[in-house]
């Protein structure tokens, strides 16, 4: 069982532990989070847990209603809404990255694409998922926009949770060739086409998630 390390900030440790447990599916949608129980599990007082819960409510992973704290239960409309936000923000990210990307980040994208092709040929689904996220993270970081990075971190967390809670992590899009084209347009500084392709790329991801949600709900 994961427990708190005393010398470090207690509420931040509690926050990260609870967040990880939610994202890994240890807590189910709508499940109640009891402050005293969580504090006992972590071996700390209720104060730091209370602050951690407040932070998770701000993240949107927990909700407070009628005096109870529960794990967020996403709806299909929530999925559509969050992907619409992601679409606009990641299109902005690649537009900014065109003007701010470094040679080191270009090399990171190239290495990512090579690793992605290898994982794809070997059908390593888990590895592909990590490489997919890494590709987008490199572009977002290359935007050099701190506020944009923070907004997209919240969105990424919620999308991950939605996939775990609604389709049990089964969703996985085909993206290899699109990533290659996005990198090509980025390197050529073709902002208009890169921006549009990123929007199409995110929309395709939304279509895939919705398709898998429909399948999961029909079982």
């Amino acid at each position: 069982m994961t427990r708190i390390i005393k010398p470090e900030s207690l509420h931040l440790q509690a926050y990260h532990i609870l967040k990880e447990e939610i994202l890994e599916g240890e807590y189910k949608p709508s499940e109640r989070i009891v402050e005293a129980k969580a504090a006992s599990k972590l071996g700390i007082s209720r104060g730091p847990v209370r602050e951690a819960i407040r932070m998770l409510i701000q993240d949107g992973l927990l909700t407070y209603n009628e005096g109870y704290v529960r794990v967020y239960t996403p709806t299909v409309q929530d999925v559509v809404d969050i992907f619409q936000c992601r679409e606009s923000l990641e299109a902005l990210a690649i537009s900014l990255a065109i003007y701010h990307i470094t040679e080191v980040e270009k090399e990171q994208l190239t290495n990512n694409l090579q690793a992605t092709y290898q994982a794809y040929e070997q059908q390593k689904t888990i590895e592909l998922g990590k490489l997919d996220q890494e590709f987008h993270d490199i572009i977002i970081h290359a935007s050099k926009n701190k506020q944009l990075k923070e907004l997209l971190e919240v969105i990424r967390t919620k999308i991950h949770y939605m996939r775990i809670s609604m389709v049990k992590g089964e969703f996985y899009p085909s993206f290899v060739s699109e990533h290659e084209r996005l990198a090509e347009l980025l390197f050529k500084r073709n902002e208009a086409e890169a921006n549009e392709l990123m929007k199409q790329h995110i929309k395709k991801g939304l279509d895939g998630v919705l398709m898998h949600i429909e399948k999961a709900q029909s079982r």
Side-chain angles (χ1 to χ4, degrees):
M1 180 177 68
T2 306
R3 292 182 67 85
I4 291 295
I5 302 171
K6 295 294 184 182
E8 299 181 3
S9 174
L10 295 182
H11 75 279
L12 287 177
Q13 286 187 77
Y15 165 75
H16 290 300
I17 291 170
L18 289 172
K19 180 178 179 179
E20 182 179 359
E21 290 176 345
I22 292 169
L23 293 178
E24 292 302 318
E26 292 188 34
Y27 291 100
K28 305 305 178 185
S30 79
E31 183 175 343
R32 185 181 170 193
I33 302 294
V34 180
E35 186 181 290
K37 185 177 179 181
S40 176
K41 178 182 177 182
L42 295 172
I44 58 175
S45 64
R46 293 171 61 173
V49 172
R50 188 178 305 117
E51 177 61 18
I53 288 173
R54 185 191 66 78
M55 293 169 68
L56 288 165
I57 290 173
Q58 286 186 329
D59 287 348
L61 292 177
L62 295 179
T63 61
Y64 182 81
N65 189 30
E66 297 181 350
Y68 296 106
V69 175
R70 297 185 184 277
V71 179
Y72 168 56
T73 303
T75 65
V76 173
Q77 187 59 50
D78 289 339
V79 175
V80 174
D81 291 347
I82 204 74
F83 267 87
Q84 285 176 342
C85 293
R86 183 188 177 193
E87 178 188 326
S88 295
L89 292 174
E90 290 216 33
L92 173 59
I94 200 168
S95 291
L96 293 173
I98 283 174
Y99 299 100
H100 300 293
I101 193 168
T102 65
E103 292 302 317
V104 171
E105 288 163 340
K106 288 181 180 180
E107 184 177 354
Q108 290 173 345
L109 280 178
T110 300
N111 292 338
N112 174 276
L113 289 172
Q114 293 173 349
T116 298
Y117 275 112
Q118 292 177 358
Y120 181 76
E121 290 174 355
Q122 298 170 11
Q123 298 183 341
K124 295 182 177 180
T125 304
I126 295 176
E127 182 69 14
L128 277 170
K130 293 178 180 178
L131 289 166
D132 176 23
Q133 187 59 61
E134 180 185 78
F135 178 87
H136 287 270
D137 285 347
I138 294 169
I139 293 176
I140 293 164
H141 186 268
S143 74
K144 304 300 185 289
N145 186 310
K146 180 182 177 182
Q147 298 302 320
L148 179 62
K149 287 188 282 186
E150 290 179 357
L151 288 169
L152 280 166
E153 175 61 28
V154 173
I155 285 175
R156 180 177 69 174
T157 297
K158 293 194 80 169
I159 288 176
H160 176 75
Y161 173 69
M162 288 171 176
R163 286 176 174 168
I164 291 296
S165 63
M166 300 181 81
V167 298
K168 312 306 178 187
E170 295 176 12
F171 167 68
Y172 187 72
S174 174
F175 61 82
V176 181
S177 61
E178 290 181 6
H179 278 194
E180 182 179 42
R181 180 59 176 159
L182 283 166
E184 179 184 353
L185 292 170
L186 177 56
F187 295 163
K188 289 181 177 180
R189 297 169 67 91
N190 189 331
E191 182 181 354
E193 288 191 36
N195 186 287
E196 183 57 33
L197 181 57
M198 182 62 82
K199 290 179 180 179
Q200 294 175 10
H201 182 61
I202 302 302
K203 285 178 181 176
K204 185 175 179 180
L206 170 60
D207 290 341
V209 172
L210 293 177
M211 179 185 69
H212 280 75
I213 288 174
E214 184 178 350
K215 286 183 178 180
Q217 292 178 342
S218 65
R219 290 172 185 168

